[in-house]
Amino acid sequence: PSTVLLENSPNFEGSVFDYIMTDVMRRYGYNQVETVLDGRSHGDFELRKRLCRVWYSKGLEAPDLDQLSKDASNLSARTVQDVLEPMMDDDPRWGRRSYLEAKNAESHNGHQYCVVNMDDRKFGTMGANYHKIQPDSPQVPHPYKPGFTRIFTPSEHCNIRRIDGALKEQITSIAEGTHPCQRRNGTNTTAAHKMLGNSITPEPWEAVGTLLGNWIRQLAGIRTYTSTT
């Protein structure tokens, strides 16, 4: 291919694997440009920094990744309220997290019991272990019971990542235990949250796709487009 796009943790840069991949790509005739993206600068809820590297054939002009917006004031137009779905006030998923309250009270502890507000436009990263209800994981407060919280449901997690339609139906069916590929009956919210937590913040990568698409079109002398996000 003329172009290869890598998405990875910023910690990947400078690692042994990075050295090997870079050496191999250079031997096969590629140059590279890279930057670190974060979701919040592109209007997403999460910061979620990720390495964005583009390998491109040496005969091509380099794509300019500096064109990607990095305006930290560009917060999401959506709020927490916009991604929530109805849940009964007595649903068993509401609970008092005494272990998180105790952890939060430790003066030497750098982690927090992160309870969101309905009008929040940003919160912490929802990683692959989000289902474990750990410190620093964003949680939704009960509408009237002080101290009671819950994590976002898999369906709401999809809303946060702007996943809808057939893909959302497949992910939520895994959470509900009704997906035809599952070997057992019963809910599997863990698997659904792991899939979503290993995902990306969509906005910055849609911006990358637009930039690379326009770069290729410019090389071919074809009219370019602006991002719709």
Side-chain angles (χ1 to χ4, degrees):
S2 63
T3 312
V4 178
L5 174 63
L6 170 74
E7 176 268 337
N8 210 318
S9 164
N11 296 327
F12 171 81
E13 187 175 8
S15 67
V16 173
F17 294 105
D18 183 11
Y19 173 81
I20 294 171
M21 290 180 68
T22 299
D23 181 63
V24 170
M25 295 301 283
R26 284 176 179 167
R27 289 172 182 266
Y28 275 86
Y30 291 91
N31 288 325
Q32 68 185 51
V33 290
E34 61 191 34
T35 189
V36 174
L37 301 175
D38 73 79
R40 206 166 289 165
S41 294
H42 290 263
D44 214 325
F45 286 108
E46 299 172 287
L47 183 64
R48 203 177 187 97
K49 291 187 175 182
R50 303 299 289 173
L51 174 67
C52 170
R53 177 179 295 167
V54 178
W55 280 295
Y56 61 96
S57 294
K58 289 182 178 179
L60 301 179
E61 182 180 324
D64 183 9
L65 298 186
D66 290 336
Q67 294 180 27
L68 294 169
S69 170
K70 296 182 181 180
D71 181 6
S73 66
N74 180 27
L75 294 179
S76 174
R78 301 180 299 162
T79 65
V80 168
Q81 184 65 58
D82 294 328
V83 301
L84 293 182
E85 298 180 356
M87 180 176 289
M88 299 294 292
D89 294 344
D90 59 352
D91 190 285
R93 284 171 287 189
W94 295 109
R96 191 72 182 260
R97 319 295 177 186
S98 56
Y99 63 100
L100 292 181
E101 293 175 4
K103 180 68 70 173
N104 201 51
E106 296 176 356
S107 59
H108 64 279
N109 178 45
H111 301 283
Q112 295 180 325
Y113 185 7
C114 296
V115 182
V116 300
N117 296 308
M118 294 300 100
D119 59 351
D120 281 350
R121 299 177 186 274
K122 61 180 180 178
F123 45 68
T125 297
M126 300 168 65
N129 291 324
Y130 181 66
H131 63 281
K132 292 184 177 181
I133 316 181
Q134 298 173 316
D136 300 331
S137 295
Q139 299 191 48
V140 180
H142 194 279
Y144 60 83
K145 284 187 177 181
F148 278 68
T149 62
R150 65 172 176 86
I151 61 174
F152 290 95
T153 66
S155 183
E156 293 167 339
H157 200 160
C158 286
N159 296 342
I160 290 167
R161 302 205 182 281
R162 299 183 186 273
I163 296 173
D164 56 16
L167 180 55
K168 180 178 179 179
E169 291 176 5
Q170 294 298 309
I171 294 174
T172 54
S173 70
I174 291 173
E176 295 163 359
T178 59
H179 195 280
C181 290
Q182 289 176 262
R183 295 183 178 180
R184 61 180 177 84
N185 296 324
T187 61
N188 197 347
T189 58
T190 295
H193 277 306
K194 280 187 174 182
M195 292 171 63
L196 293 162
N198 280 318
S199 183
I200 57 172
T201 51
E203 281 84 352
W205 294 95
E206 289 177 359
V208 171
T210 298
L211 183 145
L212 292 180
N214 282 332
W215 168 70
I216 292 172
R217 294 177 72 86
Q218 286 174 344
L219 293 176
I222 304 173
R223 181 170 62 91
T224 59
Y225 296 95
T226 57
S227 175
T228 58
T229 59

